[in-house]
Amino acid sequence: MADEESGAVRQWQEIRHSMLRAERECGRPEGSTTLVAVSKTFDSDAIRPVLEAGQRVFGENRVQEAKGKWPALRESFPDIELHLIGPLQSNKAGEAVALFDVIETVDRERIAAALAQAMAAQGRRPKLLVQVNTGAEPQKAGVLPQHIDEFLSICRDRYQLSIAGLMCIPPVDDNPSPHFALLAKLAGRNGLPLLSMGMSADYEQAIRLGATHVRVGSAIFGSRPRPA
Ligand SMILES: *Cc1c(COP(=O)(O)O)cnc(C)c1O
């Protein structure tokens, strides 16, 4: 609906302004944080106005859903950058490499192996980030902080994968800042330039702690239906 569409564009503009404000306030260069607009569960009609307003970087959490929406949108907007931000199964690695420009959720050796194989077969090299389970939550994906250095060595030495950065999703009930600070520390000591952290509720905190990418969904597109 036209009203909802313009609502998303207005909210997108507000997010961009607060990102610039957060960058200024903490002395980072303006524009040093990339907004990943998380469009999962929203259809092409909801996404298109935000694309037309100028947003080009989007996040999706399911390979299958993304395959249904993005190839057609890419025909109109060839410079889209698509991020996979949800868990990846190794049997979907080929499809993920074909569709995504950044895969943020490398989280185990099996996935590293499957991605290395798919990348060699397709001659495509999406940027890769490793997901870190900073809160050590049993139900959550991600490499534990104490295993991250070893996992990065495995990616590099065993699979010749170049890892560009780290991503995390802090526990919902925690203050996210210590998690962001930990992620920044782990990336720093491994020389990784990219830090994907911060969502609708806490992206400004993430920017203050060095995020290069914030993943914002509901604050742009509105609330999502709860998963069935
Ligand atoms: C859904 C999702 C987001 C966006 O969450 P909002 O709270 O709607 O901004 C960010 N990151 C990941 C990994 C997600 O799955």
Side-chain angles (χ1 to χ4, degrees):
M1 275 169 29
D3 275 0
E4 280 177 26
E5 287 170 7
S6 56
V9 170
R10 198 176 56 242
Q11 285 165 181
W12 171 75
Q13 280 161 341
E14 279 172 20
I15 299 281
R16 292 186 10 117
H17 285 136
S18 0
M19 286 176 65
L20 290 171
R21 195 183 326 117
E23 287 168 345
R24 259 196 317 271
E25 280 171 7
C26 68
R28 295 184 54 187
E30 287 192 8
S32 51
T33 320
T34 299
L35 172 60
V36 181
V38 176
S39 48
K40 66 187 185 196
T41 77
F42 291 95
D43 63 16
S44 304
D45 290 342
I47 296 169
R48 202 173 273 279
V50 178
L51 268 164
E52 281 162 359
Q55 175 67 21
R56 286 296 179 272
V57 185
F58 290 85
E60 289 282 345
N61 68 335
R62 289 166 188 270
V63 176
Q64 226 46 39
E65 182 187 338
K67 254 180 89 177
K69 293 191 282 197
W70 287 98
L73 289 168
R74 265 203 173 123
E75 283 178 22
S76 326
F77 302 93
D79 54 342
I80 282 167
E81 180 181 298
L82 202 55
H83 290 229
L84 178 63
I85 61 169
L88 179 59
Q89 264 120 46
S90 53
N91 63 356
K92 296 270 171 64
E95 288 177 304
V97 166
L99 183 62
F100 290 95
D101 305 291
V102 182
I103 296 174
E104 300 200 11
T105 49
V106 182
D107 65 350
R108 54 197 188 277
E109 184 168 353
R110 203 172 146 76
I111 293 300
L115 287 172
Q117 195 178 26
M119 285 162 69
Q122 298 179 31
R124 245 181 83 79
R125 301 197 76 79
K127 276 198 184 123
L128 303 177
L129 278 68
V130 170
Q131 182 174 353
V132 183
N133 187 354
T134 55
E137 295 172 279
Q139 82 287 5
K140 195 166 274 173
V143 177
L144 291 172
Q146 65 268 33
H147 296 154
I148 190 69
D149 297 1
E150 185 195 1
F151 183 69
L152 291 169
S153 314
I154 290 174
C155 289
R156 185 183 56 232
D157 300 336
R158 205 170 289 168
Y159 300 101
Q160 284 73 54
L161 288 178
S162 155
I163 301 293
L166 302 179
M167 104 45 129
C168 75
I169 311 169
V172 276
D173 295 327
D174 276 15
N175 171 7
S177 285
H179 296 273
F180 298 155
L182 172 61
L183 198 72
K185 187 179 100 177
L186 298 173
R189 83 168 178 231
N190 284 286
L192 303 178
L194 301 189
L195 273 177
S196 172
M197 56 191 199
M199 319 201 310
S200 290
D202 51 24
Y203 65 91
E204 287 157 305
Q205 280 161 273
I207 289 172
R208 284 185 214 111
L209 289 162
T212 62
H213 292 75
V214 293
R215 310 178 307 268
V216 179
S218 47
I220 298 172
F221 293 105
S223 56
R224 291 177 294 270
R226 283 154 152 281

